[in-house]
Amino acid sequence: MASPLPTSLPRLSLLSKPSPPQHHRLLLAPTRPDLSRFECRAGQTGFFTRLGRLIKEKAKSDVEKLFSGFSKTRDNLAVIDELLLYWNLADTDRVLDELEEALLVSDFGPKITIKIVESLREDIVAGKLKSGSEIKEALKKSVLDLLTTKGSKTELQLGYSFCCVIRKPAVVMVVGVNGGGKTTSLGKLAYRLKKEGAKVLMAAGDTFRAAACDQLEIWAERTGCEIVVAEKEKAKAASVISQAVKRGKEQGYDIVLCDTSGRLHTNYSLMEELIACKKAVSKVIPGAPNEILQVLDGTTGLNMLPQAREFNEIVGITGLILTKLDGSARGGCVVSVVNELGIPVKFVGVGEGVEDLQPFDAEAFVNAIFS
């Protein structure tokens, strides 16, 4: 049990479990950390916009992690370089057939694969593509266009400022099925946001799985974030999340990250609970949550599409987190999900490390799978 707090500091309610003692001063003292780099001044970009851009810029400097994370998909697609190395016009049909197979094996999906291959065929016949290197560049451009046309808003949309008054906290709900890496992704996201200077509060809204609360508390300790948990067993998730958002609003937090119970997309009673959570958040802060991020297991490939469709219809997904892609050769599913649903991928999990939840960058992704 945590040691008593000094009388000069506000006490936590029964709904909150503090991080270890070494974090109390940072998180509970009236004075806030130095966030001068994010201060909103006339003519400057808002706090959340700058935070999103900083995260995006950090992603560009971490291209090597993204590159290594997609090694298995890249190995699958390496045959394309061999096919195009000695390409000539007479071999067009054979080469394109094998290229089609390589894309399908990497889970680009039949619809996208046919679209890409037929576009290349037309350009070859028209004389627009005259070498293997030109065909490869056209292939990469086709994939990049698919990602940027329908999934361009890859930055976190955390809020807005009006007359230099920033609406806080931003609220992010994280949803998904069991075993997809939801709680871990939330913890890694908290780490990244905290590292960039944001004051983050976690909400342990997964009230069905006891281990989920313990898991999130461990992440709170690792990241130095506060966490709000259920006061009693079988508490409603909406109640826990609502209390967290209220606390975030009262105590000046920048972002509240809300975990939710994992559920199958076919379990409608549990899906309805997500609606209750969303409504509970909006009652505290009109217009929130700012983001509803769905975590999808990358090893399931195209099987993730039905999940994403159902969740989107129920609560309106604003962005996707694709996990476990480092252990999968099915990285093409990233393109399929964006093209089919029009929902941007915001983060990808490319490893077990705390920094291996990478902001998604379409150009870096294309370069990583077609090296």
Side-chain angles (χ1 to χ4, degrees):
M1 186 169 179
S3 58
L5 297 175
T7 55
S8 60
L9 297 180
R11 287 185 177 273
L12 297 174
S13 75
L14 293 175
L15 284 171
S16 178
K17 288 190 178 182
S19 303
Q22 60 266 34
H23 300 306
H24 286 165
R25 183 176 60 81
L26 172 63
L27 292 170
L28 296 177
T31 56
R32 294 185 56 186
D34 180 16
L35 297 178
S36 57
R37 60 197 286 206
F38 297 119
E39 284 180 359
C40 181
R41 301 187 181 92
Q44 286 192 345
T45 310
F47 173 89
F48 290 124
T49 303
R50 295 185 68 192
L51 179 60
R53 287 179 180 173
L54 273 172
I55 291 173
K56 198 73 175 179
E57 288 168 6
K58 182 67 166 57
K60 291 184 181 297
S61 69
D62 287 343
V63 170
E64 186 58 38
K65 286 186 179 180
L66 192 68
F67 189 84
S68 61
F70 284 101
S71 60
K72 292 188 177 180
T73 300
R74 186 166 58 254
D75 291 344
N76 257 2
L77 296 172
V79 66
I80 293 175
D81 288 329
E82 298 173 20
L83 290 171
L84 297 178
L85 184 61
Y86 301 108
W87 173 84
N88 60 70
L89 191 59
D91 285 339
T92 296
D93 288 339
R94 178 187 63 81
V95 168
L96 291 181
D97 284 347
E98 293 190 35
L99 188 150
E100 179 179 313
E101 183 179 348
L103 294 177
L104 288 171
V105 168
S106 297
D107 258 14
F108 276 79
K111 185 177 178 181
I112 290 177
T113 297
I114 292 172
K115 182 177 181 179
I116 291 173
V117 171
E118 289 309 310
S119 176
L120 292 175
R121 192 188 306 275
E122 289 174 9
D123 287 346
I124 290 170
V125 171
K128 295 179 181 178
L129 302 176
K130 300 177 181 179
S131 68
S133 59
E134 289 181 357
I135 293 173
K136 183 174 180 180
E137 288 306 309
L139 169 62
K140 291 171 68 174
K141 184 178 184 302
S142 294
V143 174
L144 184 60
D145 288 346
L146 286 168
L147 289 169
T148 54
T149 300
K150 291 190 175 182
S152 57
K153 294 182 178 180
T154 58
E155 291 182 8
L156 284 176
Q157 307 299 307
L158 293 177
Y160 61 88
S161 60
F162 179 72
C163 294
C164 284
V165 177
I166 304 171
R167 188 186 72 174
K168 291 184 180 182
V171 182
V172 178
M173 283 177 58
V174 181
V175 304
V177 302
N178 297 305
K182 180 170 48 61
T183 303
T184 298
S185 295
L186 187 148
K188 291 180 179 180
L189 180 57
Y191 172 83
R192 185 172 284 277
L193 292 168
K194 183 77 183 292
K195 190 176 179 181
E196 295 300 339
K199 187 179 180 183
V200 181
L201 177 65
M202 296 181 179
D206 187 349
T207 56
F208 283 91
R209 187 170 65 96
C213 180
D214 296 337
Q215 186 181 357
L216 201 61
E217 284 185 292
I218 292 171
W219 275 107
E221 291 178 7
R222 291 180 70 181
T223 59
C225 296
E226 285 293 315
I227 180 172
V228 174
V229 302
E231 184 180 20
K232 56 186 177 181
E233 292 183 6
K234 297 183 179 179
K236 290 186 178 294
S239 174
V240 176
I241 289 174
S242 175
Q243 289 294 332
V245 175
K246 287 177 183 176
R247 169 150 310 170
K249 187 176 181 179
E250 292 167 358
Q251 298 186 4
Y253 283 88
D254 298 314
I255 301 166
V256 179
L257 297 179
C258 304
D259 195 13
T260 59
S261 301
R263 64 207 69 220
L264 290 174
H265 55 288
T266 52
N267 190 323
Y268 294 106
S269 61
L270 287 179
M271 292 294 279
E272 285 175 358
E273 187 190 68
L274 287 181
I275 299 176
C277 292
K278 184 178 179 181
K279 287 181 178 178
V281 170
S282 65
K283 284 181 180 178
V284 182
I285 301 178
N290 305 71
E291 291 271 18
I292 301 179
L293 303 179
Q294 182 176 3
V295 177
L296 295 171
D297 184 344
T299 62
T300 63
L302 293 176
N303 292 326
M304 67 175 66
L305 283 172
Q307 297 174 24
R309 286 195 190 98
E310 290 291 336
F311 275 87
N312 189 41
E313 288 178 10
I314 296 295
V315 291
I317 300 301
T318 61
L320 301 171
I321 298 176
L322 301 186
T323 62
K324 308 178 185 179
L325 287 170
D326 57 309
S328 172
R330 308 168 84 175
C333 65
V334 174
V335 187
S336 297
V337 169
V338 172
N339 185 70
E340 290 280 330
L341 304 177
I343 301 172
V345 176
K346 305 234 169 179
F347 292 90
V348 289
V350 293
E352 296 293 329
V354 69
E355 295 189 348
D356 289 335
L357 184 70
Q358 292 291 304
F360 182 70
D361 181 275
E363 186 175 354
F365 167 76
V366 172
N367 289 331
I369 63 173
F370 295 110
S371 62

